[in-house]
Amino acid sequence: MSKAFVRLGWVVTAVGFLIGCGGTSPPPSTESTSRRPVAEAPIRGGSANPRRGAMVERVPVPTPSDVEPHPAVTAVQSTLAAVRDGRLAEAYDFLPPGFQSDVDQIIQEAAAQVEPELWQAVARTAHKGLQVLQEKKPLILESLNQPEREASIEQLAAAWDDLVASLAELETSELADLEQLRRLNSRQWLATTGSSLFQRLRGPEGAESLNPLAAMLEPSVTEAASPDGRLMLAIAPPGHEENDLVEFVQIENRWIPRSLAEGWPVTREAWRRRLSPGDRESQQRVIAALTEIEASFDQLLAATTVEEFQTVAVPLVVKSLQAFNRWQQPAGPPDGVSLTIRGNLSDDQQTRLLADLEQLSDDAARCVYTATSSSDRMVISLRPVSDVEKLAARLPFASDVQVDPVGRSISLTFRQP
């Protein structure tokens, strides 16, 4: 792992989202969107009619040199190039303007609901945590160090000061000011503070340090033939023969994956619920939790040995990770549920699992679900489901189940029934 990876792993994750379930787009264009002849892309060892989003081994579609690539292909390529160059506002333009307005509205609405007392507690706790990172670097690195992780710790140590400086800059940015947050323009923030943070994280080596990242951000993107006239792009990471087939549609002169376009209302409402601070009673509970964390930070600042530091840090980290996992769990739709299923499921297991969930819903005939999967988890939005806890108790494939009735979400580990 290189120093660039330590600094910029979060960027790779974000770009993976843009390709896999988000989308990219160039600036609005007046170019014609009429379909052009596309060479057939024969499938090797796969179904002749793969399901949408399926991973199949596919021969790249040949594009004659005198034919311009489809605007959707250019959209993906230009967005990744913008990320590589640190032009975050341009990369953000993969989202249609209406979607960007939704993002601003969600952030502004959440900030408007936050009590000043809660925001002051957040600011105090964040500042105290920053102090720990600034003053206790040797103890933190020594606590993390293990023989098998020595190289990684050395790279973290080399990037430490830049990471802490970035957090310090974030602490004084408009994100730390509640009034400014209530008027935040996300694209403008990416063009200013966001880009500044990106450049700091990229480090003084400049483009040279980005070489490993640049390779990851240069996938093969080609237009694939579709017998029913849909626009399908075959996207493959560098060095991989398997392509992910993604259907693209045009929204507000932006080419984005159909999954993003159709799922945006659910995604938007899920983030609105996730970022909502809740009523005054809920916010008071958060303030109490932050007060405990701040006290733990005081103990960490007072520690002088690794043993003293670890005695406080270990339980604090465990609690923090548990809280983060609960927050990270996507909220479910008002009439349904969101399930996060941990485990490496085969295609057959995924198919059977979805069939089981369909029958476990309140009405199998009206059941609607969306599903996304990665190498180690599957996220499913399922409806109609009225009683989240009742559904969780009936899942035959679940272990380590965590239920959030308010957020209408279930997190579990898959086990073979």
Side-chain angles (χ1 to χ4, degrees):
M1 181 172 64
S2 72
K3 184 175 178 181
F5 286 158
V6 173
R7 290 170 166 156
L8 293 164
W10 58 273
V11 177
V12 178
T13 302
V15 173
F17 169 79
L18 301 189
I19 297 176
C21 58
T24 55
S25 71
S29 171
T30 58
E31 181 177 355
S32 171
T33 60
S34 60
R35 304 288 294 139
R36 298 177 308 288
V38 180
E40 193 68 43
I43 300 174
R44 299 196 300 267
S47 167
N49 295 293
R51 59 184 173 85
R52 188 169 70 207
M55 296 293 291
V56 297
E57 189 177 358
R58 181 172 287 272
V59 176
V61 178
T63 303
S65 58
D66 59 342
V67 176
E68 289 292 328
H70 192 281
V73 174
T74 305
V76 175
Q77 295 171 336
S78 62
T79 297
L80 295 178
V83 174
R84 287 196 302 270
D85 297 341
R87 294 177 282 111
L88 302 188
E90 292 181 35
Y92 186 56
D93 280 338
F94 81 93
L95 277 181
F99 289 27
Q100 294 185 28
S101 296
D102 288 341
V103 172
D104 291 343
Q105 184 180 25
I106 290 169
I107 295 173
Q108 293 166 7
E109 286 178 356
Q113 297 171 35
V114 173
E115 298 281 349
E117 183 184 0
L118 171 58
W119 199 251
Q120 292 166 7
V122 170
R124 285 196 311 271
T125 306
H127 180 71
K128 196 65 66 69
L130 181 61
Q131 279 185 276
V132 172
L133 296 176
Q134 290 170 329
E135 300 177 19
K136 297 299 177 179
K137 173 182 175 181
L139 291 182
I140 295 173
L141 294 177
E142 190 172 348
S143 297
L144 295 173
N145 198 17
Q146 298 291 336
E148 66 275 12
R149 295 188 299 193
E150 185 174 351
S152 297
I153 296 301
E154 289 178 357
Q155 291 157 5
L156 176 60
W160 187 271
D161 292 341
D162 286 331
L163 291 170
V164 173
S166 297
L167 292 175
E169 182 177 348
L170 197 61
E171 186 186 28
T172 59
S173 76
E174 53 268 55
L175 293 187
D177 186 312
L178 186 57
E179 290 305 317
Q180 291 190 62
L181 197 59
R182 289 170 175 171
R183 304 187 300 272
L184 184 74
N185 180 297
S186 53
R187 191 185 188 283
Q188 182 178 344
W189 185 87
L190 287 171
T192 53
T193 305
S195 291
S196 174
L197 289 170
F198 182 92
Q199 297 300 335
R200 184 188 292 276
L201 288 168
R202 185 160 61 172
E205 305 95 319
E208 182 180 351
S209 69
L210 275 175
N211 283 341
L213 180 63
M216 287 188 171
L217 298 181
E218 294 181 352
S220 167
V221 184
T222 55
E223 184 180 357
S226 177
D228 55 6
R230 293 180 298 160
L231 173 61
M232 306 295 294
L233 297 191
I235 304 175
H240 289 69
E241 293 186 358
E242 287 187 340
N243 291 335
D244 189 3
L245 286 180
V246 183
E247 182 180 1
F248 275 67
V249 295
Q250 191 176 36
I251 304 291
E252 296 182 90
N253 289 326
R254 302 291 205 270
W255 286 98
I256 61 175
R258 177 178 288 278
S259 60
L260 172 62
E262 294 180 347
W264 183 253
V266 173
T267 300
R268 181 185 58 210
E269 294 309 311
W271 273 103
R272 179 173 278 116
R273 290 193 298 273
R274 179 184 290 184
L275 293 181
S276 172
D279 57 19
R280 180 168 179 78
E281 182 179 352
S282 299
Q283 295 190 43
Q284 288 298 318
R285 288 197 295 269
V286 175
I287 291 172
L290 291 173
T291 302
E292 291 184 12
I293 294 175
E294 189 178 354
S296 297
F297 284 155
D298 284 330
Q299 291 178 285
L300 292 176
L301 287 169
T304 57
T305 66
V306 173
E307 290 74 19
E308 292 176 350
F309 191 89
Q310 288 180 332
T311 298
V312 179
V314 171
L316 176 62
V317 169
V318 170
K319 289 182 180 179
S320 298
L321 288 175
Q322 289 174 342
F324 178 75
N325 287 335
R326 287 194 298 271
W327 177 84
Q328 193 180 36
Q329 169 69 27
D335 60 343
V337 64
S338 171
L339 298 101
T340 297
I341 302 171
R342 298 178 295 273
N344 188 2
L345 281 68
S346 67
D347 286 346
D348 287 343
Q349 288 174 323
Q350 292 183 29
T351 300
R352 289 197 298 270
L353 184 148
L354 290 170
D356 289 344
L357 288 174
E358 191 174 33
Q359 295 303 314
L360 290 171
S361 69
D362 291 353
D363 186 344
R366 296 190 301 111
C367 178
V368 177
Y369 61 79
T370 60
T372 59
S373 61
S374 61
S375 60
D376 63 348
R377 70 183 55 208
M378 189 175 184
V379 179
I380 302 167
S381 178
L382 175 76
R383 57 186 175 86
V385 174
S386 56
D387 192 327
V388 175
E389 292 177 300
K390 180 179 178 180
L391 174 68
R394 297 173 60 199
L395 299 176
F397 48 78
S399 63
D400 304 324
V401 181
Q402 296 179 332
V403 184
D404 179 3
V406 176
R408 305 194 65 81
S409 65
I410 301 172
S411 176
L412 60 96
T413 300
F414 177 81
R415 64 174 175 82
Q416 189 68 39

